[in-house]
Amino acid sequence: MTRILTLPYALLAYLIFLATMGYFLFFLAGAVVPITVDSPSQHSLTVAIAIDIALILLFAVQHSVMARPAFKRMWTKIVPPSMERATYVHASNVVLIVLIVFWQGIDIKLWDIQQPIVRTAIWVLYVFGFLMVPVVSLMINHFDLFGLRQAWLHLKDREYQPLPFRTPLLYAIVRHPLYLAWGAAFWITPTMTAGHLLLAVGMTIYMGVAAVIEERDLVGVYGDQYRKYQKDVPMFVPRLGSRLEAEGTS
Ligand SMILES: C[S@@+](CC[C@H](N)C(=O)[O-])C[C@H]1O[C@@H](n2cnc3c(N)ncnc32)[C@H](O)[C@@H]1O
């Protein structure tokens, strides 16, 4: 039964993710869609800040806890292993939709660049940064990240093999290009409100902590290979003039 259900379950998670991400592009831009990061709050400033912080914490806890090996070991006693990653994607979708729906905008402008050419250039950079998120996910294994590979292997009755350690393209320059792309999406805007800043700061802190925790797990999985990678390649900020040969540490 799970053999038949796993692939549609994972595909549904993936499609909802794509739709949510499409919405999120405009949510962060504060344009086109009805609810955005700048939608005015109906609450006092203190309550609005408290709700926003609770939403960021919910996002951080769900993403961090469900990605830990110990949680996965326990969780896969309930959820079939082939559905574990797709379930993570479903949960992440729910959390992101909750964040979008309940986010409280705080309309205090910290910067507001109106010069048309500069404003357009910033929008172009924003879209580029945002689109780097799916592009970077393709560099390691997009379909594994979204649970589709696990579901496909299960359908074909083939055993799941974890991804090998790799350092392709941007992974030869920094260890966390996906978080860097997310950072660009959160920070690059011609009009920064206090609500948007709260989201950008909260997510940046979360990604910093998540990267440290993720690396502990990666050292556990890949051992000295990952330790060497940590020595050779910076976490977030590229070092001028130094770049691993793509795939060089694999
Ligand atoms: C959401 S991705 C984020 C990757 C990274 N933190 C980044 O910002 O690009 C997390 C998954 O990527 C995998 N991963 C991260 N770096 C990797 C590497 N160099 N080779 C293979 N898998 C990697 C981890 O095992 C984890 O399952």
Side-chain angles (χ1 to χ4, degrees), residues 84-102:
E84 180 274 324
R85 189 66 194 181
T87 305
Y88 173 93
V89 179
H90 274 296
S92 304
N93 289 340
V94 170
V95 164
L96 187 56
I97 292 167
V98 166
L99 186 142
I100 289 170
V101 171
F102 293 102

Side-chain angles (χ1 to χ4, degrees), residues 56 60 187 196-207:
I56 294 168
W187 283 96
H196 193 151
L197 183 78
L198 181 57
L199 185 61
V201 169
M203 288 300 182
T204 304
I205 294 171
Y206 159 66
M207 289 189 288

Side-chain angles (χ1 to χ4, degrees), residues 8-145:
Y9 178 74
L11 267 174
L12 183 67
Y14 185 59
L15 292 177
I16 296 173
F17 173 79
L18 289 181
T20 313
M21 278 291 281
Y23 190 101
F24 201 59
L25 175 96
F26 296 106
F27 173 85
L28 280 182
V32 181
V33 291
I35 304 173
T36 78
V37 70
D38 294 327
S39 294
S41 172
Q42 309 299 325
H43 302 281
S44 69
L45 181 61
T46 317
V47 173
I49 293 173
I51 293 173
D52 290 347
I53 291 174
L55 291 169
I56 294 168
L57 284 175
L58 176 71
F59 182 96
V61 168
Q62 179 268 322
H63 278 77
S64 275
V65 171
M66 289 190 79
R68 298 287 68 77
F71 179 87
K72 289 184 196 174
R73 277 194 295 278
M74 187 199 72
W75 187 221
T76 47
K77 289 182 184 142
I78 305 164
V79 172
S82 58
M83 286 184 166
E84 180 274 324
R85 189 66 194 181
T87 305
Y88 173 93
V89 179
H90 274 296
S92 304
N93 289 340
V94 170
V95 164
L96 187 56
I97 292 167
V98 166
L99 186 142
I100 289 170
V101 171
F102 293 102
W103 186 260
Q104 308 293 309
I106 302 166
D107 190 21
I108 301 166
K109 286 196 177 73
L110 298 151
W111 68 75
D112 187 19
I113 296 163
Q114 289 297 335
Q115 207 287 332
I117 296 173
V118 180
R119 196 171 172 85
T120 307
I122 294 172
W123 280 131
V124 170
L125 267 181
Y126 165 71
V127 173
F128 177 79
F130 196 100
L131 294 181
M132 281 307 285
V133 172
V135 170
V136 172
S137 75
L138 286 164
M139 291 178 192
I140 292 216
N141 191 326
H142 185 76
F143 299 107
D144 193 277
L145 217 54

